[in-house]
Amino acid sequence: MLTVREARKRYGANVALDGVSFDVAGGAVLAVIGANGAGKTTLLKCVVGLLRFEGQVLIDGVDVARKGKQARRLVGYVPQQPALHGDLSVRETSTFYADLKGVAHTRAREVVEWVGLGEHTEKRADALSGGMRQRLALALAMLADPPLLVLDEPASGLDVSARLDLRRLVQEQRKAGKAIILSTHWLEDVPYIADDALVLDRGQAVYQGAAKQLTASATVGSKLYLRLNGHGPDATGVIEATAAAGAVVRSGDWLVVTCKAEDKAQIVEALFSAGIGILDFRVEEASVDDAVMDLQSAGRAAE
């Protein structure tokens, strides 16, 4: 559905994209990962034809550079900061964009319900939370039922609950056969939301491959902070049997566990199974910057 070949973009002397190539099939999700300034937004804007670029982008065989209007009809795009009309309600916003796209108002109601805003139809856009604004932007992108979704940092500003909802919404569209490309700096979400991952660093691809292998390739871990019910010594053994040995340290009342993203749930489950209650917890997620550096170091070591 989406083919990108040798995409390059310069801003004066600054190289924002440097020969990036990839494919996204229908029913697949590609996560584009990188720190601020890595080229994620530039890449997505090239895909939807908002920037001039070198190379080639094809959407279902349609060349974006040569037939931009035709290509954009195949795309639902959610920018990093959706520009919504603050004085319009959710219902008015959805029907307004439905009219622009020649879509029935019944479809507008359908997508609003689908993203979980059915109980907020009369709420003004400027009164919506950040998560609700992202949901509304996604609903607008889905109005014409495009085969390709392009989502720029859709999880930005969302709390944990809203991010879990986003995962569900993306997976529903994946099952419906949509091709999806999304950018994110949440390294932890990637194995759960995407099939493949593309990691950018200063415009270059430093990793391309299966999303589930990304955290294995990058050994940088998340940190899980646990305040337990007084069973610290017993908990350490339980945790170390689940995560890597030596991954547990004490910091005041907290046990700090450095682990891979996929190990967190197993650690919590193991503690409950051992009868060790968790009074409080928080997560410090893996740094994209550190992960990129780790991937580059691994690549140099393999050369």
Side-chain angles (χ1 to χ4, degrees):
M1 179 56 64
L2 172 64
T3 299
V4 176
R5 291 289 178 268
E6 293 295 322
R8 290 183 169 83
K9 177 65 181 177
R10 287 179 175 270
Y11 295 100
N14 179 43
V15 180
L17 284 180
D18 190 8
V20 175
S21 300
F22 59 87
D23 298 285
V24 186
V29 181
L30 173 70
V32 181
I33 307 158
N36 290 334
K40 303 188 304 296
T41 294
T42 296
L43 174 61
L44 298 193
K45 286 185 175 181
C46 290
V47 167
V48 297
L50 295 179
L51 293 175
R52 293 181 180 273
F53 61 92
E54 298 176 31
Q56 186 178 54
V57 175
L58 302 176
I59 300 176
D60 199 18
V62 180
D63 192 307
V64 170
R66 297 181 179 180
K67 299 180 179 179
K69 187 174 181 180
Q70 181 181 345
R72 281 188 288 274
R73 291 195 186 103
L74 304 172
V75 181
Y77 175 52
V78 178
Q80 188 171 354
Q81 295 180 334
L84 301 173
H85 302 279
D87 58 340
L88 297 183
S89 68
V90 170
R91 175 183 55 81
E92 291 169 333
T93 300
S94 62
T95 54
F96 172 71
Y97 279 89
D99 288 340
L100 289 178
K101 296 186 177 184
V103 175
H105 288 187
T106 53
R107 172 63 177 172
R109 290 193 293 271
E110 179 182 299
V111 294
V112 166
E113 291 280 350
W114 176 73
V115 298
L117 293 178
E119 297 181 359
H120 305 278
T121 55
E122 298 308 315
K123 185 175 289 187
R124 284 169 49 123
D126 59 7
L128 298 176
S129 67
M132 287 182 177
R133 289 175 63 86
Q134 289 291 77
R135 290 178 189 226
L136 179 54
L138 182 57
L140 301 180
M142 287 300 305
L143 275 170
D145 197 23
L148 172 65
L149 290 176
V150 178
L151 315 178
D152 191 0
E153 295 279 6
S156 178
L158 302 188
D159 59 22
V160 173
S161 176
R163 281 169 57 195
L164 291 175
D165 284 341
L166 176 66
R167 289 184 190 179
R168 176 184 59 82
L169 295 173
V170 169
Q171 291 304 329
E172 286 180 359
Q173 290 307 298
R174 175 182 177 276
K175 291 177 181 177
K178 307 288 186 187
I180 303 170
I181 176 172
L182 59 88
S183 67
T184 182
H185 63 274
W186 293 111
L187 190 63
E188 301 224 348
D189 283 339
V190 174
Y192 304 98
I193 204 170
D195 300 289
D196 295 303
L198 168 68
V199 180
L200 294 179
D201 180 42
R202 288 171 289 187
Q204 294 185 332
V206 296
Y207 175 89
Q208 285 183 271
K212 289 184 178 179
Q213 294 177 358
L214 176 62
T215 50
S217 299
T219 59
V220 176
S222 301
K223 288 186 178 180
L224 179 63
Y225 291 77
L226 299 164
R227 181 180 287 151
L228 307 177
N229 61 356
H231 295 289
D234 297 333
T236 298
V238 172
I239 294 169
E240 289 182 341
T242 304
V248 186
V249 297
R250 181 172 291 280
S251 178
D253 295 335
W254 297 85
L255 285 181
V256 184
V257 187
T258 301
C259 59
K260 293 182 181 180
E262 60 266 28
D263 287 336
K264 294 198 307 295
Q266 295 177 19
I267 291 168
V268 172
E269 183 178 353
L271 289 171
F272 276 118
S273 296
I276 301 172
I278 299 174
L279 301 179
D280 196 4
F281 75 94
R282 65 185 177 88
V283 176
E284 184 178 298
E285 297 185 325
S287 163
V288 169
D289 288 340
D290 290 343
V292 168
M293 290 179 64
D294 198 59
L295 287 165
Q296 290 174 321
S297 296
R300 287 192 294 268
E303 291 176 355

